[in-house]
Amino acid sequence: MGGTIAVKASDDGALHALAAEDLAALAPGSAVELETVDFAIGSSIALTGNQLLRLAQEVIESIERGAEGVVITHGTDTLEETLYFLALTVPRGDASVVVTGAMRPADAPGADGPANLAAALAVAAHRPATALGPVLVLDGLIHTARFAAKVNALSVGGFGSPAAGSVGRVVEGRASVWLTPAYDDYLGLPDAADLPRVELVRMVLGAEPSALAATLATQPAGLVIDGFGGGHVPPALLGVIDEAIASRVPVVLSSRVGDGPTNRSTYGAPGCELDLQERGALMAGAISGMKARLRLAVALGCGLDVAEVFPLD
Ligand code: ASP
């Protein structure tokens, strides 16, 4: 899927340079038998909903054809979104699905891509990993799709699971799984060429209704509002939220904090969760705004009742 793991320096800056087969050669000695596929070339900042849908289909078909594991190399900028999308759309089964990437270009001193890929292959070949659903493997740690997040823009240990911790590790080429999730994020794979358009709007102190109103005017299929703390908005925005709900645009409140779920039953002031739910908004629960956006899009694309898929505990 491209990304920093596959780029090298050029006169025009670091650009895509390694095909899947070249990447596979960077992880020599792996005991697994590999089939390589070049799926999307370039930076993950340019990925689209259509590509996510096609990727999930490709993963499902690879598993149906007999793959025991699928490793996806991916740019780190949007990695956690693709990872969560796969958790929403690929049924958990007998095959492992592992996403990895790199924080340093392939030709940089101390490039981390080969080590990350070798660790990802070790996890993909480790049977207990199939119980985890799609996971991120980076810097020797295994992170689940629900909680994996890019927590540092540049360091090699740039990913974590702030709300839950990692669930396993790779040491000396051996994968260990310590914990398995007691939940499953799977909803289904929309049978469509594109995802319903769900927009994400972030709250800031003193936000005026204008940005949210302008977004609603574009007639999105759904809105996720990345709110303060436990999922709160300035009271000045409540009129736009009422308008969205009255025009049947589902509104989901996430937390902009990045660690910790939204509230459900504590605060009563206008703009807080009791008021928002009373107006018909849904709380995201355990997932970040960017993952709530994908969950809402997949739920809408599968024709599911959105009130059944939020909040997540
Ligand atoms: N811009 C790159 C990407 O997401 C960054 C990376 O891979 O780390 O494709």
Side-chain angles (χ1 to χ4, degrees):
M1 296 281 285
T4 295
I5 193 167
V7 303
K8 283 188 177 173
S10 80
D11 290 346
D12 299 319
L15 290 173
H16 186 81
L18 300 180
E21 220 173 87
D22 306 322
L23 284 171
L26 296 179
S30 162
V32 299
E33 185 191 324
L34 276 183
E35 182 187 308
T36 55
V37 178
D38 286 290
F39 186 84
I41 301 300
S43 171
S44 73
I45 62 173
L47 290 172
T48 63
N50 168 271
Q51 284 173 305
L52 287 186
L53 288 161
R54 289 193 292 111
L55 175 68
Q57 190 65 46
E58 173 87 22
V59 170
I60 291 168
E61 284 171 13
S62 301
I63 294 168
E64 282 169 0
R65 285 198 305 270
E68 290 178 74
V70 179
V71 172
I72 297 157
T73 57
H74 196 289
T76 63
D77 286 349
T78 61
L79 191 155
E80 73 212 68
E81 289 166 80
T82 296
L83 175 65
Y84 191 62
F85 184 80
L86 293 171
L88 292 167
T89 54
V90 177
R92 212 176 281 179
D94 296 335
S96 46
V97 179
V98 181
V99 185
T100 191
M103 299 296 289
R104 293 181 181 149
D107 56 352
D112 51 332
N116 287 340
L117 181 56
L121 289 166
V123 173
H126 184 56
R127 290 299 85 202
T130 58
L132 298 170
V135 288
L136 163 68
V137 174
L138 196 122
D139 198 29
L141 292 170
I142 308 174
H143 298 278
T144 60
R146 185 180 285 194
F147 296 108
K150 192 171 191 177
V151 292
N152 184 290
L154 292 172
S155 82
V156 280
F159 280 79
S161 296
S166 52
V167 296
R169 178 189 285 287
V170 181
V171 176
E172 298 171 333
R174 291 184 315 276
S176 330
V177 171
W178 306 318
L179 301 162
T180 52
Y183 57 81
D184 190 342
D185 287 296
Y186 178 75
L187 294 179
L189 180 62
D191 181 14
D194 223 328
L195 284 173
R197 183 168 58 84
V198 175
E199 298 289 353
L200 174 67
V201 180
R202 192 173 213 214
M203 292 299 100
V204 288
L205 185 153
E208 304 264 342
S210 48
L212 192 62
T215 305
L216 181 60
T218 68
Q219 300 185 315
L223 275 177
V224 175
I225 301 176
D226 214 20
F228 307 124
H232 306 145
V233 304
L237 271 64
L238 291 171
V240 187
I241 291 174
D242 288 345
E243 208 186 305
I245 292 166
S247 52
R248 298 186 167 280
V249 176
V251 176
V252 175
L253 267 298
S254 56
S255 169
R256 68 175 189 169
V257 174
D259 181 0
T262 50
N263 284 121
R264 241 191 261 190
S265 55
T266 302
Y267 297 103
C272 293
E273 80 279 0
L274 286 172
D275 176 39
L276 288 162
Q277 289 172 107
E278 182 69 30
R279 291 167 189 270
L282 298 164
M283 305 308 290
I287 51 176
S288 65
M290 60 184 124
K291 291 181 186 176
R293 171 181 166 267
L294 289 167
R295 187 170 179 85
L296 181 54
V298 169
L300 291 169
C302 289
L304 302 175
D305 177 357
V306 295
E308 298 280 317
V309 304
F310 291 106
L312 284 183
D313 284 319

